[in-house]
Structure formats: C-alpha cells, structure tokens
Amino acid sequence: MAALRGRDVGAALPDVAILGSGAVGGLIGAVLTSAGTDTALITREATAERLGREGMQISSPMFGERQVAVTARPRLTEPAGALIVAVKAPHLPAALRRIDAEPDVVVSLLNGVEHLGALRERFGDRVVAATVRVQAHRAAPTHVVHRAPFLTVAIADPGAPALAEALGAARVEVLAGGSETQVLWAKLSRLAALALATAAADAPLGEVRPAAEAAAREVVTVANAEGAALDPEAIIGELRGLPDAASSSLRADLAAGTPDHELDAIGGAVLRAAARHGLPVPHTEALVAQVATRAAEG
C-alpha cells in the first residue's frame, strides 16, 4: 500500500499518528499496525512506556485474540500523514499539548459536535470531521476488549482518501461522504439518546427504551435545525435494532465514579444547540439533569 505521505525510505515518521490509546485509539492503532500501516500511538508517558514493553492486546470477534507490537510515544514531534484524534472530549486540551508537529490531515473521532472549533483553532482547515461506531472498552492500559463484530468510521467531506484506504485495508468499514453536520449529528442523535437514558437510570437500554426514543426524537429535531437533514424514523429504527443489553460509556463512567465523563460534550451540546434555535427539549433536559445529579453524588 502506498504511504500516506512522501518521505525517504527508513525515516522514522509514522504514516498515521493516533492521539489517545483508549478503547478507540488502541483498537484502531492495533489493527492499522497489524495491516502494515506505520502507526504511532500518542499517549501519556507511563502508558507509552508500558505499550512499548508489552504491546497492545486486543480481544475481538472481528480480529481475534492477538498481541500487537505497537509504537507508542508521549509526543508527536515529527510530521505524520494523518493524525486521528481519539481522546474523550474533556481530555482534548491537555492531549493537544502532546502534538508538536503538523500532520497533513487531522481526523477527529470525538463524541459531540463542539470540539471542531478547538481543533480548527490548532490545525486550521486540515481538520476533517468523522465519527466511529464500535463497542469496546479498555480492560487495561495494554488491553482493549472489542465486544461486537463491527468497527465503522464515517468521514465527512472533503474526506481523507489515503487514511480511508489504510483503514479499509485494516478491515475497518469506512463510510465516506456527507457534510460534517450530517455525520456528527447522525451519531449524536443515537448516542445522546442511548447514553443519557442508560446513564440517568443506571440501566441497560431494554429498561429505558421509551425514554431513549423520546430523547432521540428531540435530538433529531435539533439536528435538523442545525442542517443535518436526518430522518427521525431511521434513528429510532437504529435504536430499536440495538439489543436490550446495550449500554453506554457514560453510564460506565458514572458507575465507576470517573470525573472526566462526557455529559457536557453529549447532553450539554444538544441543550446549547436547542437553545440557539428556541426548541423545547423537555425529555432531554430531564435526562441531562438526572445524569448531572448522579455525577454530583459520585
């Protein structure tokens, strides 16, 4: 496969750098590396050192059980063909301080819609909006458990063709095309409904489907006011297609007492957009309030 950027053979520059080594960054980094793409995980010093010693273990119904010798660094100091940003929204400002070089293209996989401003302030028009659909969690700093047989990345126009080719070669499903508003709000409409409903009740989707569907309809209304042109029945259909046991990382973070959860990036972003358009979203407001109360109670 062609390299993502031109450079002398043997130069120690990665084709792809991934900011973050959590469930998403770790899994994508491992499968890209396994497929032959020169990839570096940019992560905290202690984690980078451990990954360098142990590699990344992935347990996956798609990719099997494997131990991958990955490259991990605490900073990106030289240019890369592509930078994938795969940290949680609360971690973004600190994580960006690890990037000292200028990648050719920056593809963001963060949840929510408001992070693009911070990324464009740093990288300008090289930023491309994208989302990831995956069920995975980090069982340990060097072990990612991939729980369902899909890994899909949707990349908005103008796209990142070379990175899309590398992901495809690694058996990642790539959906290319659509405006960034469509791509980001299509995920947020599903995610906000699932995350807020399951986190508010500390229960799986099967116990909170009416609340999730009511929130999803409100979020789609907000998304369409933002210009996303989404079909609410399609979003509801996707929620109904999820198993009763489906849950969310927001629920898991609250259960673990994690302070850097994504309530503001998910629920807060919806409420702020609704306020801009003067749209009532009572179901979503109630769920956000319930999650905020749970978070405050620890």
Side-chain angles (χ1 to χ4, degrees), residues 184-239:
L184 293 179
W185 278 98
K187 177 174 183 180
L188 187 57
S189 296
R190 298 187 302 266
L191 176 63
L194 175 65
L196 295 175
T198 58
D202 191 18
L205 179 61
E207 297 181 26
V208 294
R209 285 189 184 274
E213 292 187 15
R217 292 188 186 279
E218 291 180 346
V219 180
V220 171
T221 299
V222 175
N224 288 342
E226 290 280 288
L230 302 180
D231 177 1
E233 296 309 317
I235 300 297
I236 296 298
E238 291 185 31
L239 283 173

Side-chain angles (χ1 to χ4, degrees), residues 236-262:
I236 296 298
E238 291 185 31
L239 283 173
R240 289 176 179 171
L242 294 175
D244 285 347
S247 189
S248 65
S249 60
L250 181 59
R251 178 191 174 201
D253 284 345
L254 263 63
T258 304
D260 50 356
H261 53 74
E262 293 188 300

Side-chain angles (χ1 to χ4, degrees), residues 31-243:
V31 300
L32 282 173
T33 298
S34 294
T37 295
D38 185 6
T39 305
L41 291 166
I42 310 301
T43 187
R44 295 173 180 174
E45 286 81 355
T47 304
E49 182 181 0
R50 184 169 171 182
L51 285 167
R53 293 195 315 267
E54 301 176 17
M56 179 67 79
Q57 179 185 356
I58 59 173
S59 304
S60 167
M62 279 183 67
F63 305 106
E65 188 80 30
R66 64 176 71 175
Q67 193 82 18
V68 182
V70 296
T71 298
R73 304 173 181 174
R75 310 190 72 82
L76 181 65
T77 57
E78 296 174 306
L83 173 66
I84 297 174
V85 183
V87 296
K88 287 187 175 182
H91 297 164
L92 181 60
L96 287 177
R97 292 196 286 271
R98 298 188 178 279
I99 306 301
D100 298 323
E102 298 302 317
D104 292 347
V105 65
V106 178
V107 175
S108 169
L109 298 181
L110 276 71
N111 290 326
V113 296
E114 296 175 335
H115 53 275
L116 289 182
L119 288 171
R120 290 202 167 114
E121 184 177 344
R122 171 67 174 80
F123 299 109
D125 61 5
R126 286 169 289 164
V127 177
V128 176
T131 62
V132 61
R133 190 170 186 182
V134 64
Q135 291 182 17
H137 69 274
R138 191 170 74 161
T142 60
H143 183 198
V144 172
V145 177
H146 180 205
R147 301 189 301 273
F150 57 84
L151 175 54
T152 302
V153 173
I155 304 177
D157 292 330
L163 177 61
E165 180 185 351
L167 289 169
R171 296 173 54 208
V172 178
E173 180 185 22
V174 178
L175 307 178
S179 72
E180 65 182 42
T181 302
Q182 291 172 326
V183 168
L184 293 179
W185 278 98
K187 177 174 183 180
L188 187 57
S189 296
R190 298 187 302 266
L191 176 63
L194 175 65
L196 295 175
T198 58
D202 191 18
L205 179 61
E207 297 181 26
V208 294
R209 285 189 184 274
E213 292 187 15
R217 292 188 186 279
E218 291 180 346
V219 180
V220 171
T221 299
V222 175
N224 288 342
E226 290 280 288
L230 302 180
D231 177 1
E233 296 309 317
I235 300 297
I236 296 298
E238 291 185 31
L239 283 173
R240 289 176 179 171
L242 294 175

